[in-house]
Amino acid sequence: MPLVTSTEMFKKAYSGGYAIGAFNVNNMETIQGIVEAGKECNSPLILQVSAGARKYANPVYLKHLIQAAVETTGLPIVMHLDHGADFEACKSAIDDGFTSVMIDASHHSFQENIEITKKVVAYAHDRGVVVEAELGQLAGIEDAVNVKAEDACFTQPDEVFEFTQKTGCDSLAIAIGTSHGAYKFKPGQKPRLRFDILEEVGKRLPGFPIVLHGASSVPQDRVAIINQFGGKMPDAIGIPEEMLRKAASMAVCKINIDSDLRVACTAAIRKHFAEHPDHFDPRQYLGDARAAVKEIVKHKIIDVLGSNDKA
Ligand code: G3H
Ligand code: 13P
Ligand code: ZN
């Protein structure tokens, strides 16, 4: 099976009350860990590539690694551009064979966001590619996205109908309290998501796939391993998994997970070196990192997303 778009995946996920995992990929071992988990769980997958990933690994390498994932698993896999900054970034990914792109124009005014998204949608749809857009802003930091907590704002349900009608986008990322990175809530702060906003959005856009960014749970057992073996990640905390399960049973069809993979890799590598100080073959410690990614992705698919046996 060649690369697919997310259209069919989202239709089934919406009606089935589950979500598809969108995992960020930067290197071979992470891709292998994700797709081995997907294969064992018979789950559809979205492999997503950020601007930082393209810069790190070289877009040609990533494209061929993802192609290898498709060929070796036979799973329905979407190759998605994560956080496309502008029309040019989306165009370049579309021209390069991506089957899905995100245009992240949420920091512009509502009208500008509509204009930019509309232009990407026109280019993408002419080429059979689907588009994720965003309304509202998440807090958090990645290479290309840096939004201070005070600048983050929740999605306004009043805007979603007009926005999706005018842009023709295929899915919509909304801000309900998730955030990027491994430090999502302050120590002592009770994790909270605005399910009332999600519910309102669902009412205004029946059947329309909603996306959650910044949805890592930052597993505390892995954070403890990192801190035990020389790391320093005090107060790293994520979104409770039961909240993600609830979101997946509502209108959320795509859940973005990156930080959890990073935490799993780092914990595995730190532990490996602590236990085997004599090792210097990267296959030994990167092999552990790959196995850790596989384990966490299997857990997500089965216990959080519910996308197992849906390929
Ligand atoms: O939300 C974006 C992802 O976590 C990607 O992060 O820009 O560091 O590759 P990155
Ligand atoms: P996390 O940092 O919570 O993994 O979010 C990743 C993300 O939203 C990628 O777009
Ligand atoms: Zn994101």
Side-chain angles (χ1 to χ4, degrees):
M1 178 187 288
L3 282 168
V4 296
T5 72
S6 46
T7 308
E8 285 308 309
M9 278 184 199
F10 287 167
K11 262 189 212 153
K12 289 191 202 163
Y14 197 99
S15 59
Y18 62 92
I20 312 295
F23 301 99
N24 284 76
V25 298
N26 294 278
N27 59 22
M28 183 184 79
E29 283 78 8
T30 306
I31 293 176
Q32 289 175 329
I34 297 165
V35 301
E36 282 175 20
K39 184 75 187 160
E40 283 183 23
C41 298
N42 191 31
S43 169
L45 293 170
I46 298 173
L47 300 182
Q48 55 186 17
V49 174
S50 68
R54 296 187 103 197
K55 195 167 142 204
Y56 170 76
N58 178 329
V60 183
Y61 280 80
L62 284 177
K63 175 178 162 176
H64 287 279
L65 285 169
I66 292 173
Q67 199 51 50
V70 172
E71 276 174 35
T72 55
T73 62
L75 288 173
I77 293 178
V78 175
M79 181 161 74
H80 175 76
L81 175 72
D82 193 25
H83 292 286
D86 50 27
F87 175 79
E88 286 310 320
C90 294
K91 179 181 181 299
S92 145
I94 293 164
D95 294 346
D96 221 18
F98 278 64
T99 51
S100 174
V101 294
M102 176 194 190
I103 172 69
D104 181 357
S106 56
H107 48 289
H108 292 282
S109 71
F110 183 66
Q111 285 310 328
E112 281 169 333
N113 190 355
I114 289 178
E115 290 315 314
I116 297 165
T117 303
K118 218 164 122 178
K119 190 173 168 195
V120 172
V121 169
Y123 190 82
H125 284 185
D126 276 352
R127 290 156 184 82
V129 172
V130 293
V131 178
E132 173 186 325
E134 179 166 314
L135 259 185
Q137 277 191 271
L138 278 70
I141 301 167
E142 311 102 33
D143 279 3
V145 190
N146 187 347
V147 181
K148 288 202 200 101
E150 59 266 28
D151 295 334
C153 58
F154 296 123
T155 303
Q156 295 178 33
D158 277 349
E159 294 183 344
V160 299
F161 184 75
E162 183 185 349
F163 184 83
T164 53
Q165 287 293 306
K166 288 194 170 159
T167 61
C169 66
D170 303 278
S171 60
L172 184 68
I174 62 168
I176 59 166
T178 61
S179 62
H180 291 110
Y183 301 86
K184 299 190 191 295
F185 300 98
K186 298 210 171 68
Q189 192 184 3
K190 201 165 171 258
R192 180 165 179 244
L193 292 187
R194 292 288 305 271
F195 282 103
D196 56 323
I197 295 179
L198 175 57
E199 207 173 325
E200 275 304 312
V201 168
K203 276 188 202 154
R204 284 155 209 246
L205 300 175
F208 194 84
I210 300 302
V211 177
L212 274 195
H213 281 250
S216 276
S217 297
V218 191
Q220 292 300 299
D221 55 341
R222 310 302 163 104
V223 173
I225 292 172
I226 290 174
N227 290 333
Q228 179 187 350
F229 294 113
K232 218 179 225 179
M233 293 188 70
D235 308 322
I237 182 163
I239 310 293
E241 289 186 337
E242 60 274 16
M243 291 189 185
L244 299 171
R245 276 200 299 273
K246 181 172 170 184
S249 74
M250 298 168 72
V252 171
C253 295
K254 173 175 180 272
I255 291 190
N256 285 9
I257 297 170
D258 185 8
S259 298
D260 282 353
L261 307 184
R262 296 178 181 194
V263 165
C265 281
T266 302
I269 291 172
R270 281 198 177 276
K271 184 165 185 280
H272 186 101
F273 280 130
E275 290 174 351
H276 308 281
D278 55 320
H279 280 181
F280 65 97
D281 181 342
R283 290 173 296 188
Q284 293 168 316
Y285 54 89
L286 293 181
D288 277 7
R290 178 171 60 193
V293 167
K294 178 177 173 181
E295 190 187 337
I296 198 147
V297 171
K298 272 182 88 167
H299 162 66
K300 293 283 173 187
I301 289 173
I302 296 168
D303 302 318
V304 181
L305 302 158
S307 66
N308 44 315
D309 295 321
K310 306 290 195 308

